[in-house]
Amino acid sequence: MKKLVIYMAVLLAAIGISSPEASAQDKEPERIYTIIVDRFLNGNDTNDVNVTEDMDEAMPFGGDFAGIENNLEYIQEMGFDTLMLSPVFEKADDDYLGYSVESYEEIEAAFGGAEAFRSLIDAAHARDMEVVVDMPVTATTGYETLDDPELNDIQQSYYDSVQTEFIDLRNADNQARYQEMAQAFVNTYDVDGLSMNIVQDGLDAASFMPEGVKTYGIVEDESITAQGFDHMTDPAMRDAIVEAFSTTDTEIPDYPTDGSLLLADHWFTERFTTHAVEANMFPGKRISQLTAYFYGYPGAIAFQYGTEVAFSGDDIPEIHPQMDLWTDQEVVDYIVSINEVFSKHPQMYQGEREVIKNEGGHYVQRYHASDVDFILNINDSSVTKNVEIPMEDEDEGKMLSGLLIGDLLRSGDMEGDAFLAVLDREETELYAVIEERGFNNGYLYAGLLIFGGFGIFVWMAARRSRRR
């Protein structure tokens, strides 16, 4: 029912919103879906190696490239335009994550090998999706090793189990060799980007990453500094996001202006949902609010596989369960719905932004766009909230049309020179500032016909029953 209401609100609101074709600069921000290849879905069991049926073991589950390719539509419908894959290189048979690299020249056979990898990339590209692969810094023969990698507790536990040594990427010879290897990989398979879990301080991606692809630096520890990546995560920002959305009534962090990659968890962190469970909050609502916040960000965001079905856990291997596409779809449906709204208006991300309110879990921001302005209203508090949205000079004769819930604010809903918006607890609305319109007579007449006809039908059926 809620999904139907959302769709109807989008349909009605669209009547008053101009929808010009998006220009080249109106491209949506990157929305990345991160996947542990082995822990997604098994699309071809003929390549299974050391697969366990014990879900508590840190052993392979049989996930492969075919399992991902078979479900690209599912991922894309939620609005994700980029896949970020865990390492795909030849690895030890008992390692499921893929950082125990044995050869950077070969694609892991248990994932389907080079042919299945190419097939996945081609299928993603056919859908205008991009593929990013995480590049390990695992030392194979010929690399000088790093003595003191900086690892968090989850990384330490994992790397102790696979007994991996790391490449010293501040060594000039290592940089040249690694860059050549990475460039050959990119050229051979036509991947669109490379990511890296950074375990060494003071790195410059320009000295070892190849050219012609996007680069993403994943930082797990605040003590690590790096530069040269197109996008980097900020551990402090991740902590603030988790603290804000795992519960209610907590200040929501302002969107960064430095192009940071936003995420709430990654494959070497605890799951976001774990914090919501610990706070005795309903995970579905927490994930929905988090997603709405992410989709309002004009930069890149990363969303880990299974978050949409409330995976939880705080250590390996429980943080990487087998993907479940057959569980409750309420959150998935919500993500699909808000993606349909946000993706129709990429121009909202291009202009200036103004924070109207940020207090106790209530975050309101205005997007100044070239044609229609938008206002994002996130009430992540435990009570109904109201906010006065200042009316600007160009707002004269206009109204606020809600695109997610369907709330309509007209000139009569004003306090002085401001629209008065009221939003229920743990809800999000996106308003478009449009020309004020009266009731749509066509919809009014249609409604009268439908309900009038239904009333006549009920009356006639009752009359006929009495005669019998």
Side-chain angles (χ1 to χ4, degrees), residues 352-369:
E352 298 293 324
R353 290 173 286 117
E354 173 192 1
V355 176
I356 297 173
K357 181 178 181 180
N358 189 2
E359 180 182 310
H362 192 193
Y363 185 76
V364 185
Q365 177 173 258
R366 181 164 184 152
Y367 299 77
H368 295 275

Side-chain angles (χ1 to χ4, degrees), residues 320-466:
H320 304 141
Q322 180 76 51
M323 184 58 191
D324 185 358
L325 294 178
W326 300 275
T327 189
D328 185 3
Q329 293 288 297
E330 182 178 357
V331 175
V332 175
D333 291 341
Y334 179 77
I335 296 174
V336 170
S337 298
I338 65 171
N339 167 59
E340 290 179 349
V341 171
F342 279 87
S343 63
K344 288 178 180 177
H345 308 290
Q347 72 272 24
M348 68 178 280
Y349 301 108
Q350 307 305 318
E352 298 293 324
R353 290 173 286 117
E354 173 192 1
V355 176
I356 297 173
K357 181 178 181 180
N358 189 2
E359 180 182 310
H362 192 193
Y363 185 76
V364 185
Q365 177 173 258
R366 181 164 184 152
Y367 299 77
H368 295 275
S370 57
D371 49 0
V372 175
D373 281 8
F374 297 85
I375 296 167
L376 180 64
N377 187 358
I378 300 176
N379 179 11
D380 203 47
S381 75
S382 57
V383 297
T384 298
K385 289 282 188 177
N386 60 62
V387 59
E388 293 184 4
I389 300 173
M391 187 174 182
E392 301 187 354
D393 292 342
E394 61 268 25
D395 295 343
E396 190 68 36
K398 293 185 177 180
M399 62 183 285
L400 303 187
S401 177
L403 306 179
L404 295 177
I405 300 174
D407 197 12
L408 295 176
L409 302 181
R410 303 175 184 274
S411 57
D413 304 310
M414 297 185 67
E415 290 285 334
D417 293 328
F419 291 100
L420 181 61
V422 181
L423 195 60
D424 286 343
R425 64 190 295 268
E426 298 183 79
E427 292 286 356
T428 296
E429 180 64 289
L430 177 68
Y431 300 100
V433 185
I434 65 173
E435 295 295 332
E436 184 157 5
R437 295 171 182 264
F439 291 104
N440 187 294
N441 290 334
Y443 281 107
L444 183 61
Y445 296 150
L448 289 173
L449 286 172
I450 292 171
F451 289 107
F454 181 71
I456 293 171
F457 170 77
V458 172
W459 175 77
M460 292 179 66
R463 185 178 179 186
R464 191 173 186 182
S465 177
R466 285 197 299 271

Side-chain angles (χ1 to χ4, degrees), residues 138-254:
T138 305
T140 54
T141 304
Y143 284 108
E144 293 294 323
T145 59
L146 177 67
D147 292 331
D148 53 350
E150 301 191 39
L151 308 173
N152 65 21
D153 291 343
I154 294 176
Q155 287 173 308
Q156 190 69 62
S157 174
Y158 166 74
Y159 284 117
D160 284 348
S161 68
V162 297
Q163 299 180 341
T164 294
E165 291 190 300
F166 299 92
I167 301 169
D168 180 359
L169 284 176
R170 297 181 66 178
N171 176 286
D173 291 339
N174 283 349
Q175 290 173 346
R177 182 179 177 190
Y178 190 90
Q179 189 173 51
E180 181 180 4
M181 174 274 296
Q183 190 71 65
F185 170 69
V186 167
N187 294 344
T188 301
Y189 296 101
D190 194 26
V191 299
D192 305 284
L194 301 177
S195 63
M196 175 176 287
N197 275 267
I198 303 172
V199 299
Q200 184 177 8
D201 187 38
L203 295 185
D204 182 355
S207 64
F208 55 82
M209 280 295 203
E211 298 179 350
V213 291
K214 299 174 185 175
T215 56
Y216 305 79
I218 312 299
V219 181
E220 308 290 5
D221 193 309
E222 291 185 40
S223 65
I224 292 179
T225 61
Q227 62 182 8
F229 291 92
D230 294 319
H231 300 285
M232 286 186 60
T233 61
D234 178 351
M237 184 65 181
R238 185 189 85 87
D239 290 344
I241 290 172
V242 170
E243 182 178 1
F245 288 100
S246 60
T247 186
T248 57
D249 304 305
T250 304
E251 184 170 347
I252 295 173
D254 287 335

Side-chain angles (χ1 to χ4, degrees), residues 93 134 212 228 244 283 297 314 437 446:
D93 288 344
D134 197 71
Y297 177 52
D314 58 10
R437 295 171 182 264

